[in-house]
């Protein structure tokens, strides 16, 4: 299709040669497409998509000074000559997220009286704990290891977040605390199992409800000495299935010197017992993330103070705890490290907490469960 031939004189070849022509100039109309007969010697061969053969001498010359195309150096990106609109993808993702919202599930673990509910209220600046929403009334929380969750929908500047807070009011309160972490491990695995069952269905939901625990804040009592065996055993077991963030509760009961010494001892205990708390070093993806997470790891565990009441300080309303000597401002970095904890959980690493939960902890559980189901017998 599309081949035309001229005569020998027009093609500039011998009497038996033919040459393909790209145009019609200088070629008679009756010679453009000669009729194809059964025995015509001018029948063209089938066109091949392979490149024309190159003589060996020319091929050797090209090999000496040329670079193969597969390894030729070039820029990583491609320079655009005008505006295309690729950056609008971020706006599309933002609009879709604002419409659908997102989910975040947090668990607080620690003894009674360490301010877990108050800390959660302080984090989200609203009544999201197991306390009653009515002013002056509080629900009587039983001191048992039975886990209870409460879910709220929080909205800020058009962004909706479905927040689920799981409390463990009686953890470590018993005289015999043997295996007191079993209900917590069971609860976390149950959420993984629920997600897995929805995921392996033939007809799945378009959006699977996510009840998996994305972060576990462990409250260390402000003893000022070292981590108890209960603390070490809990974090050792839980760090394998969930993101654990240790904090020193009610840090205003310690002096600055006691706080610094206590943090150093906790860091040494974690390193000695090879307990990997969040953010884990193994999951740092690039140098920038590693540099940021290294600064965070130097501050862990965070010495925090929780407060859900506002006070007047220098003409401003601030969250704080009023004492005989003054007001401890919760959001003041000079008073406590609560801003660092809030930045880690919400402002800088919230999506990373969800990604590690899905890609690491849930994936490990999924592989283990599928291997168990595929075993014979």
């Amino acid at each position: 299709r599309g081949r035309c031939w001229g005569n020998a004189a027009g093609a500039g070849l011998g009497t038996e040669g033919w040459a393909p022509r790209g145009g019609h100039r200088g070629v008679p109309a009756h010679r453009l497409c000669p009729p194809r007969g059964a025995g015509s010697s001018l029948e063209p061969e089938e066109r091949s998509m392979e490149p024309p053969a190159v003589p060996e001498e020319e091929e050797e010359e090209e090999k000496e000074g040329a670079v193969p195309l597969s390894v030729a150096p070039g820029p990583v990106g491609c320079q655009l000559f005008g505006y295309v609109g690729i950056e609008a993808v971020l706006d599309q993702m933002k609009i879709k997220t604002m419409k659908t919202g997102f989910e975040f599930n947090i668990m607080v673990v620690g003894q009674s009286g360490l301010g877990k509910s108050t800390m959660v209220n302080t984090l989200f600046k609203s009544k999201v704990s197991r306390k009653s929403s009515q002013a002056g009334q509080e629900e009587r929380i039983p001191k048992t290891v039975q886990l209870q969750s409460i879910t709220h929908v929080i909205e800020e500047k058009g962004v909706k977040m479905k927040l689920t807070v799981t409390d463990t009011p009686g953890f470590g309160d018993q005289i015999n605390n043997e295996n007191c972490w079993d209900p917590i491990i069971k609860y976390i695995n149950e959420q993984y199992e629920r997600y897995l069952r929805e995921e392996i269905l033939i007809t799945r939901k378009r959006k699977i409800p996510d009840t998996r625990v994305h972060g576990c804040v462990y409250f260390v009592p402000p003893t000022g000495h070292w981590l108890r065996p209960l603390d070490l055993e809990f974090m050792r077991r839980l760090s394998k299935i969930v993101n654990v963030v240790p904090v020193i509760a009610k840090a205003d009961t310690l002096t600055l010197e006691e706080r610094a010494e206590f943090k150093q001892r906790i860091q040494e205990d974690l390193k000695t017992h090879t307990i990997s708390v969040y953010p884990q070093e193994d999951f740092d993806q690039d140098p920038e993330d590693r540099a940021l997470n290294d600064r965070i790891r130097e501050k862990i565990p965070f010495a925090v103070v929780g407060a859900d009441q506002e006070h007047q300080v220098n003409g401003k309303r601030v969250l704080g705890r009023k004492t005989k000597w003054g007001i401890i401002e919760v959001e003041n970095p000079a008073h406590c490290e609560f801003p660092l904890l809030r930045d880690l959980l919400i402002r800088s690493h919230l999506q990373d907490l969800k990604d590690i939960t899905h890609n690491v902890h849930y994936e490990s559980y999924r592989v283990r469960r599928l291997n168990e189901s595929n075993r014979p017998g």
Side-chain angles (χ1 to χ4, degrees), residues 32 36 86 89 144 150 176 191 217-218 246 248 259 267 271 288-289 296 372:
L32 289 179
R36 297 186 181 183
I86 300 175
V89 176
T144 63
I150 185 170
N176 183 8
Q191 310 315 309
V217 182
Y218 185 76
I248 301 174
R259 182 194 303 179
Q267 292 174 357
K271 187 178 298 183
E288 293 183 359
D289 291 345
I296 295 174
E372 291 175 357

Side-chain angles (χ1 to χ4, degrees), residues 167-186:
D167 194 3
T168 58
F171 176 80
D173 289 347
Q174 311 300 323
I175 297 176
N176 183 8
N177 291 311
E178 184 179 2
N179 298 330
C180 63
W181 46 77
D182 285 347
I184 300 175
I185 296 177
K186 181 182 178 181

Side-chain angles (χ1 to χ4, degrees), residues 5 13 22 36 48 75 78 101-102 112 121-122 131 148 153 157 189 216 235 273 286 296 307 358:
W5 300 271
L13 300 177
R36 297 186 181 183
S48 174
C78 181
F102 60 96
S112 301
N121 292 338
T122 310
K131 295 182 178 181
Q148 294 189 9
V153 177
K157 295 183 179 180
N189 288 332
C216 175
M235 286 190 282
H273 294 82
D286 52 58
I296 295 174
H358 179 77

Side-chain angles (χ1 to χ4, degrees), residues 34-90:
R36 297 186 181 183
S40 175
S41 60
L42 297 180
E43 184 80 8
E45 297 180 357
E46 294 291 332
R47 295 187 64 183
S48 174
M49 299 299 294
E50 298 181 358
V54 181
E56 296 183 358
E57 297 179 357
E58 296 181 3
E59 188 175 351
E60 292 180 356
E61 292 178 0
E62 290 178 0
K63 286 184 177 179
E64 291 179 0
V67 180
L69 293 177
S70 59
V71 296
V76 177
C78 181
Q79 184 67 29
L80 302 178
F81 297 102
Y83 179 75
V84 177
I86 300 175
E87 63 177 5
V89 176
L90 297 177

Side-chain angles (χ1 to χ4, degrees), residues 234-268:
F234 174 85
M235 286 190 282
R236 185 183 68 82
R237 291 175 180 265
L238 268 292
S239 61
K240 298 177 182 178
I241 62 174
V242 73
N243 300 313
V244 178
V245 181
V247 298
I248 301 174
K250 295 188 175 181
D252 53 332
T253 61
L254 301 173
T255 64
L256 296 179
E257 293 78 10
E258 291 173 344
R259 182 194 303 179
E261 186 177 355
F262 191 31
K263 292 181 63 171
Q264 184 177 359
R265 289 179 180 176
I266 292 176
Q267 292 174 357
E268 292 175 357

Side-chain angles (χ1 to χ4, degrees), residues 103-115:
E103 299 163 324
F104 184 63
N105 308 317
I106 187 173
M107 174 184 284
V108 288
V109 181
Q111 291 182 350
S112 301
L114 292 181

